[in-house]
């Protein structure tokens, strides 16, 4: 469109110049025709003449047509209007998105909006990574600014709705990216990744696993799950099981990517087998990159095991994790299936309340304010 605007503007300028020259020439001829005659020579004697009789008829004398517009006037006006319109359209194209189609697949913290599933990656026999499109307009509105403020506050999550039964569940993304500006479409294309395990009795998990690439799913968010600021804690201890690793991955990636953050992380992650360890490549890569900031211990229910210990989170393994824990400087995060939560910290009730601290962490002497359950 930009090329068409420039071409139209160039054509308008050319026509205007040609018409303007014609206008000037016509004006010169007009002045020559109706201007006063030259002063007669002084050596000629002009005989006296009688004054012409007064008349009221406009036909008796030829008056210069002062109200007549020179040729080409309307063409000039038309070309000026075309040029002004072209300039205005170019301004709208360059500095606004009014000439672009509406941007879809955008996050919204207060209402559900459809998002397109663009890719799926099986991770285990029952767990899949779902990648949904999350676009943003080229120019941020108050909604986009509010989204950035929420994400900057800490670990965040998204409500995903099953429109067939009108129910939803909250999931924590493990990755979120926004690309460069696409001027032709007036947007920044991005994506959001979710790791979801299929449960036989889980309506949302079954709904997502039955969703095909190209289908749309309604989402609402982001929402803050756990507030976090760089260097608030000396060390963050994490106990995770299964897909409960997702908030831990999000937080670790966020903190390690922040050069101003020196917080250290210790992770105890339990899975059924080594093949069921989720996000292992990402976690191992980070631990190899910054071993002084991230320590990982894998647990599996059953062997064979080459990189993990066989066992479950218990007093021995969790005690080994939180050795040296400081109630004033450290915090423990727990997320996983109900059986693991019950054994480690006690389950979390529905709603914002954390519920009483129970299980291994209570037995190890930790205070409730030092533990957060996702």
């Amino acid at each position: 469109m930009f090329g068409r605007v420039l071409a139209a503007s160039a054509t308008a300028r050319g026509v205007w110049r040609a018409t303007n020259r014609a206008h000037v020439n016509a004006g010169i001829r007009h002045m020559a025709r109706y201007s006063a005659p030259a002063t007669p020579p002084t050596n000629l004697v002009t005989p006296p003449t009688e004054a012409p009789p007064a008349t009221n008829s406009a036909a008796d004398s030829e008056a210069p047509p002062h109200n007549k517009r020179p040729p080409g006037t309307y063409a000039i006006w038309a070309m000026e209007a075309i040029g002004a319109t072209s300039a205005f359209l170019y301004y709208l194209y360059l500095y606004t998105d009014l000439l672009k189609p509406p941007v879809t697949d955008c996050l919204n913290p207060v209402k559900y909006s459809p998002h397109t599933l663009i890719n799926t990656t099986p991770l285990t026999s029952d767990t899949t990574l779902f990648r949904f499109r999350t676009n943003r307009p080229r120019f941020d509105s108050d909604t986009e600014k509010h989204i950035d403020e929420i994400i900057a506050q800490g670990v965040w999550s998204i409500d995903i709705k099953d429109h067939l039964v009108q129910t939803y569940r909250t999931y924590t993304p493990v990755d979120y990216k926004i690309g460069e500006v696409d001027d032709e479409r007036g947007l920044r294309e991005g994506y959001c990744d979710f790791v979801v395990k299929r449960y036989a009795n889980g309506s949302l998990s079954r709904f997502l696993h039955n969703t095909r690439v190209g289908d749309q799913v309604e989402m609402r968010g982001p929402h803050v799950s756990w507030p976090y600021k760089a260097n608030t804690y000396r060390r963050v201890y994490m106990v995770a099981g299964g897909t409960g690793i997702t908030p831990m991955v999000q937080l670790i990636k966020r903190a390690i990517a922040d050069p101003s953050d020196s917080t250290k992380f210790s992770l105890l992650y339990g899975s059924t087998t080594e093949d069921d360890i989720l996000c292992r490549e990402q976690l191992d890569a980070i631990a190899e990159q910054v071993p002084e900031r991230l320590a990982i211990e894998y647990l599996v229910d059953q062997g064979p095991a080459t990189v993990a210990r066989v066992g479950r989170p218990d007093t021995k393994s969790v005690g080994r994790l939180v050795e040296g824990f400081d109630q004033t400087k450290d915090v423990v995060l727990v997320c996983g299936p109900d059986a693991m939560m019950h054994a480690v910290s006690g389950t979390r009730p529905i709603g914002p309340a954390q519920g009483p601290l129970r299980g291994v962490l209570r037995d190890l002497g930790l205070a409730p304010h030092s533990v957060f359950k996702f």
Side-chain angles (χ1 to χ4, degrees):
M1 176 180 177
F2 177 59
R4 292 196 295 271
V5 170
L6 292 180
S9 300
T11 303
R13 289 196 300 270
V15 173
W16 183 86
R17 293 192 185 99
T19 308
N20 188 47
R21 287 194 295 269
H23 182 197
V24 172
N25 293 336
I28 293 174
R29 291 194 298 271
H30 178 79
M31 292 176 62
R33 180 178 180 184
Y34 297 107
S35 61
T39 305
T42 56
N43 58 348
L44 298 179
V45 178
T46 303
T49 58
E50 297 181 358
T55 177
N56 293 328
S57 175
D60 293 340
S61 62
E62 184 178 358
H66 297 292
N67 61 341
K68 182 179 180 181
R69 295 184 177 88
T73 300
Y74 293 108
I76 292 175
W77 289 355
M79 292 303 101
E80 290 176 346
I82 292 174
T85 302
S86 299
F88 180 65
L89 292 176
Y90 175 66
Y91 172 83
L92 293 179
Y93 174 84
L94 191 62
Y95 296 105
T96 74
D97 290 329
L98 296 177
L99 302 181
K100 305 289 190 305
V103 180
T104 58
D105 297 280
C106 296
L107 292 174
N108 192 305
V110 297
K111 65 179 182 180
Y112 285 99
S113 58
H115 292 261
T116 305
L117 178 64
I118 58 178
N119 190 26
T120 60
T121 304
L123 302 179
T124 68
S125 59
D126 57 6
T127 305
T128 301
L129 185 144
F130 295 88
R131 175 165 291 183
F132 286 92
R133 181 173 291 119
T134 51
N135 296 333
R136 290 180 70 141
R138 177 171 52 164
F139 303 108
D140 287 344
S141 66
D142 291 339
T143 299
E144 282 70 43
K145 295 176 182 178
H146 184 40
I147 289 173
D148 290 341
E149 292 173 354
I150 293 174
I151 292 176
Q153 293 179 35
V155 180
W156 55 280
S157 56
I158 297 287
D159 297 332
I160 299 181
K161 183 171 74 171
D162 178 359
H163 64 276
L164 299 177
V165 295
Q166 295 299 312
T167 186
Y168 77 92
R169 185 174 178 180
T170 303
Y171 292 92
T172 303
V174 294
D175 202 4
Y176 172 67
K177 300 287 186 185
I178 296 295
E180 299 295 328
V181 174
D182 185 337
D183 288 325
E184 289 297 324
R185 295 189 295 165
L187 56 80
R188 288 168 288 171
E189 191 172 273
Y191 64 83
C192 197
D193 289 346
F194 300 89
V195 174
V196 181
K197 180 177 179 178
R198 180 172 189 147
Y199 293 94
N201 298 324
S203 62
L204 252 299
S205 68
R206 287 186 285 109
F207 166 74
L208 285 175
H209 279 262
N210 290 331
T211 302
R212 299 178 181 179
V213 173
D215 292 346
Q216 289 189 322
V217 173
E218 293 188 48
M219 299 183 185
R220 178 180 61 189
H223 312 294
V224 178
S225 302
W226 184 64
Y228 172 82
K229 286 186 178 182
N231 303 312
T232 301
Y233 303 100
R234 183 195 64 168
R235 183 177 289 272
V236 176
Y237 297 86
M238 301 172 167
V239 183
T243 54
I245 193 64
T246 56
M248 315 304 183
V249 170
Q250 185 191 114
L251 177 58
I252 291 171
K253 292 169 65 174
R254 169 203 188 99
I256 299 300
D258 184 356
S260 67
D261 195 346
S262 60
T263 306
K264 296 177 173 59
F265 298 88
S266 296
L267 170 65
L268 179 65
Y269 180 28
S271 304
T272 304
T273 67
E274 284 194 352
D275 292 337
D276 296 316
I277 298 176
L278 303 174
C279 304
R280 177 179 167 182
E281 291 184 0
Q282 298 182 51
L283 292 170
D284 288 347
I286 297 173
E288 183 178 354
Q289 177 187 359
V290 285
E292 72 282 1
R293 294 191 60 190
L294 176 60
I296 304 175
E297 180 179 347
Y298 296 117
L299 290 179
V300 293
D301 295 341
Q302 54 191 1
T306 58
V307 298
R309 293 174 180 263
V310 178
R312 296 188 178 185
D314 54 18
T315 304
K316 184 177 180 180
S317 59
V318 176
R320 187 168 57 245
L321 171 74
V322 299
E323 185 177 356
F325 183 85
D326 188 329
Q327 302 269 15
T328 62
K329 299 179 181 179
D330 302 332
V331 67
V332 179
L333 307 180
V334 188
C335 187
D338 288 343
M340 190 211 80
M341 296 289 293
H342 180 77
V344 174
S345 62
T347 57
R348 175 178 175 174
I350 297 176
Q354 285 284 295
L357 180 63
R358 295 190 174 98
V360 173
L361 292 177
R362 183 190 63 181
D363 296 341
L364 291 172
L366 273 71
H369 71 268
S370 299
V371 178
F372 181 83
K373 312 171 192 177
F374 283 100

